[in-house]
Amino acid sequence: MLIISFFFGGCAINHTTVPYSERKYEVVYDVHLKKNKIYSKSIEWIVRNYKNANQRTLPYDNEKNGKIVAKASSSYYSFLYTRYINYDYTLVISIKENKIKVLGEHFVGHLLYSDQKTGATYDREFEVWESKDILEIKSNLAVLFDELYYFLEYNKGDDF
């Protein structure tokens, strides 16, 4: 009885909720470009990297204020659900002269499942809150945002 109790006690998974204020990833880069060039190249990067038109919807796009807000999607491996999960997030790019701040926030996961009887597929949306999942998303966004930085910093010679 003691061995069984120990075995089941060791299998318990501890899920930690991340406070809402920490469910985001933000980074600031120094870029050797003028504000208007950073802006136009950021729009180009969004179009190049988010292939699906639904992923590059720009609900707020203001060159004068230097801000782009877009809905975006990606995927990560969920330790909570033990499979890859697609997620949506809000991408905010704030631009100043020689500087860019990139923010990913409002992570919404999508669990796809099929009804065995009807064959219908359902998409259950949920707010991502578990600490390991948030770390996976932040790691994913770190790579993606670094790609934006490299695109801005090292793709300067492709203009006419």
Side-chain angles (χ1 to χ4, degrees):
M1 202 55 127
L2 181 61
I3 294 173
I4 293 172
S5 174
F6 174 75
F7 176 75
F8 286 116
C11 289
I13 297 173
N14 184 16
H15 297 289
T16 307
T17 301
V18 174
Y20 188 78
S21 62
E22 296 176 27
R23 297 179 200 175
K24 63 182 179 180
Y25 179 74
E26 180 178 88
V27 64
V28 176
Y29 298 104
D30 291 324
V31 181
H32 298 95
L33 292 171
K34 295 195 177 289
K35 182 178 175 181
N36 65 334
K37 187 56 101 178
I38 295 171
Y39 181 86
S40 64
K41 292 191 84 56
S42 294
I43 295 286
E44 181 183 349
W45 178 83
I46 289 170
V47 171
R48 287 180 181 223
N49 282 279
Y50 296 101
K51 308 296 184 212
N52 183 339
N54 293 332
Q55 293 178 300
R56 42 180 204 227
T57 304
L58 300 174
Y60 183 82
D61 175 5
N62 190 320
E63 184 173 5
K64 183 179 178 185
N65 292 335
K67 186 170 268 192
I68 302 166
V69 180
K71 297 305 279 180
S73 297
S74 193
S75 63
Y76 70 98
Y77 185 80
S78 170
F79 291 94
L80 181 62
Y81 296 104
T82 63
R83 64 179 174 173
Y84 280 92
I85 301 288
N86 292 328
Y87 70 96
D88 299 329
Y89 64 98
T90 303
L91 172 67
V92 180
I93 300 175
S94 302
I95 302 162
K96 292 185 177 181
E97 199 73 24
N98 299 315
K99 195 174 288 285
I100 186 170
K101 178 170 71 172
V102 189
L103 169 68
E105 62 183 354
H106 306 298
F107 309 127
V108 177
H110 296 273
L111 273 177
L112 299 176
Y113 61 95
S114 298
D115 185 321
Q116 298 298 328
K117 293 180 183 178
T118 65
T121 301
Y122 299 97
D123 177 4
R124 184 176 76 81
E125 289 188 359
F126 63 96
E127 183 178 351
V128 180
W129 55 266
E130 206 275 328
S131 63
K132 288 182 181 179
D133 288 356
I134 294 291
L135 285 174
E136 284 293 313
I137 289 174
K138 286 181 177 184
S139 175
N140 183 323
L141 292 180
V143 171
L144 192 63
F145 294 174
D146 281 350
E147 288 174 6
L148 170 59
Y149 166 73
Y150 291 120
F151 181 78
L152 294 171
E153 194 65 24
Y154 300 109
N155 271 332
K156 297 175 188 170
D158 61 351
D159 295 329
F160 289 101

